[in-house]
Amino acid sequence: MADRRKQLVTRVRGMLGEALGSTRTRLGTAQEELTAARERLARVRRAADAVPARVGAERDRRLADIDGLHAARLAELAARAADAARREAPGAASADWPGWRPTPPTRAEPPGALRIGTVAVDADEPVPALVPLLDGGHVHLSGADRRGTEAVVSALLLRAVGRAEPGRVRLMGYDPEHLGGGLAGFAPLGTAGLLTFVGPGGLGRLLDDLVEQIRRINETVLAGEYGSLRELASATGRRPEPWRVAVLLGGDELSRHERGQLDRVVRTGAACGVHLLVRGMSLPDDPTVTRVRVESGGARVVDLPVRLDPPPPATLVTETCREVAARVNAGPAPTPFTDLLPPADEMWREDSAHGLTAPIGESPQGRPVLLTLGDYPPHALIGGPSGTGKTNLIFAWIGALASRYSPAELEFYLLDFKEGVSFARFAQGRRDPSWLPHMRLVGINVNTDREFGLALLRFLAEELRRRADAAKKHEVTKLAELRAVDPTGHWPRIVAVVDEFQMLLAGRDAVAREAADLLEDLARRGRSQGIHLVLASQDVRGIEALWGRPALVAQFTLRIALPKALRILAERNDAAQSLPRHHAVVNAESGMAEGNEVARIPSASDWDTWSDLQNRLWRMRPPDAAPARLFDGDAIPRLADAPDFQALRAPDTGTLRAPVALLGEIIDVQSRSAALRLPRAPGRNLAVLGTRVDEACAVLDAAARSLARQHRPGGARFSIACLDPDADPIARSLYEDLADDAAWYDEETVAELVAETGDGLGATGATPHYLLLFAVDAAAGALAARVGGRTGLEQLRRILHDGPERRTHVLAWWRGVARMRADLGGPAARTDQIGAWVALDTHGGELGSSLYPGTGGPDWYPRPWRGLFFDRAVHRTGQTIIPYGPAR
């Protein structure tokens, strides 16, 4: 038992020892873990103590990075905003006042928004604060700072005026409190009609007018094709209407009608270029209204704070407005001439059978203004004072027609009674060998040659008769019908332009009477045969010349009035009085106001501009085209260039039956020569009457040279007697050129000439003999002596009387009608032996009934290098001629 107990104790003790050892081991381990935990706790506590500093530093770093990114982004956004503002509001719309100047857009584009200040952002580059106005909407100003609102008003208006073409912004001011004082700086615009003020009580009328303008623009300008003027300008490149800005600066409470009209303008005005700048009255909420609240030291646009710009300097406002007004009063520049022309591949494509239609310019709405000549209207009347562009308008019209109709469809006849050569460019010239293929006649410097105008009317009357006969033959009445039944005939429409036509109707002589009768007949009957008249005048007297003939005036239903033109339009139609330069009122209703159409006329008179078109058309001309006949009243024709002289030939065999003496160029359309036939018949002699040596010698020189051209060498005798030393150079030159066929005589030998010639008249088979006597009256003394029983004067009378039947003709120059009568036997002597004469500086009354049929003599008033030719065997009335210039 004891052993068992001992064993049990020992075992217990062993187990306790093991348990104690194990416990000690775990205790050591726990103590170690406690120590490690305490160390970790210390480390954690040390780390925790370091976290706030590190986190703060990181936070500060991150905040600094965020601030840097924000500042950079803000600067970038500010730069982009400033750049966008410059694009949206370039030039005058946003420039600072120092150095500011107007900068109108170069194309038909909106001026953009307008600057009133800068946005309050912290950036190196200020961002302009812009508000939309022109084509953008309306601006409503509020706030107690009156000076600030006045600064905004003047800034917006000046920038608007400076960003538009002169005259394209029109201001209407309503300032009942200060009676326009708030807009005083803009007063110079009133001189050009760009600023109007409405007095107290006039707001209703102003709003009514704005509403009417909006209605008109919607109906007639936009016409359902475009939603706004801005859209129209973007699509077409033209803006037909100005911007209208109504500046409403306070006033009484609006009436119901005024409130309704104001609301209508707010809703619909911006699309039609009608805008409101309002202070002191409320505007309805609308997307087009920008609200600016002006506060002390700044403003708020919607909710955006703005630093306002200072007001523009007063001198800048007035000087700018004066400059704009001056440019508007001077008128807009003309549009390019090429705007009237069709594309090159469409030229000469039009048919004139039923009329001629071409644009003359563009309307204020940007649409072409067309002119038509046909059955209605048949003829045109153009009027305007000197310098208003009458010639330019004619050029533009001619160019527009000539580029659309070929020469087979259209012919022109031009006549300019004023001094100048502007029409000469249509004919072939030294500077430009081209000519307008449609042109058949160009008359310039004919202010003293009314006979040429009469000749043109006679030519047109003959052409009218020819066409009427053809129409009668084919049993038709109109040109279109004639062309349909006679397609192979040449029936172009004819347009005859007579500038300063009143010269043709001046006076009460035979020329004026016949011209008026022909004009009336052509105007009445020409329409049906395609002959159209265009009469132009810069003097009111030119129009008055027609008023005595109402039947004539009534035919000119197309009226074109240039600025300040009088009596072109109907009596109460004064539309031309307010026209700017380069514009015209076109009216196809006989001048009645309802027919008015305003056209902006292109610049067509520039040489280079016109030359380009003329050369293009000239290169397109038909192979058989001939240059137009150019008649220059200041030019002296040359015999060698005369077609009639060039056609003269000596017969190959036999004897010339009736030689022709050419005396000068007839003032007519065909460039014919005045011809004196010298058959073997009584009276076939010529007397040249007057004291002008050069002209008298020129007539005899041309006669002799043309006669010599019709005879073979040795086939005729030319006896030249020069009795005036001043005539010697021309007579001597003629003598030398006629060579062996001529004989020379002077004062000492002229008696021998007449004696020999008179005594030889009985001979048969004599060759033609022409006595060219220069200043024969100077030989009265030498011819007074008797030779063989007769005096020289008696022999001269015998030659004049009997010579023509024996092929002896006298072509003599007397220096006065009285001297000729004395040589022929005295005042009572018959003048039958003088069958033809050319009067130079001799008045018609001096010629008397013995030389001219009727009583009192012809209506002839001398002028340099003109003569009146009368052949009693051919003429009923005298024929005005231009002596040919010296041959050398």
Side-chain angles (χ1 to χ4, degrees), residues 583-619:
H583 285 68
V585 174
V586 176
N587 188 301
E589 302 296 334
S590 298
M592 301 302 293
E594 56 268 22
N596 286 351
E597 193 172 6
V598 176
R600 186 180 179 188
I601 311 300
S603 176
S605 56
D606 176 74
W607 173 273
D608 294 331
T609 302
W610 180 263
S611 182
D612 289 342
L613 173 63
Q614 179 162 303
N615 276 276
R616 184 185 302 128
L617 300 181
W618 180 66
R619 290 191 295 270

Side-chain angles (χ1 to χ4, degrees), residues 379-440:
H379 312 293
L381 196 59
I382 302 174
S386 177
T388 55
K390 178 165 51 66
T391 301
N392 180 74
L393 185 145
I394 294 173
F395 275 37
W397 196 2
I398 290 174
L401 288 171
S403 61
R404 285 168 171 78
Y405 299 93
S406 71
E409 301 287 334
L410 169 65
E411 290 182 350
F412 285 110
Y413 293 80
L414 266 59
L415 193 59
D416 189 356
F417 271 101
K418 68 177 183 295
E419 295 184 10
V421 295
S422 55
F423 285 169
R425 68 183 62 182
F426 299 121
Q428 191 175 32
R430 292 187 299 271
R431 179 178 179 183
D432 186 353
S434 70
W435 69 87
L436 191 64
H438 310 69
M439 203 63 59
R440 305 313 316 138

Side-chain angles (χ1 to χ4, degrees), residues 633-654:
D634 287 348
I636 299 175
R638 297 179 67 252
L639 178 66
D641 298 332
D644 289 336
F645 179 76
Q646 295 172 353
L648 295 177
R649 295 288 186 275
D652 295 332
T653 58

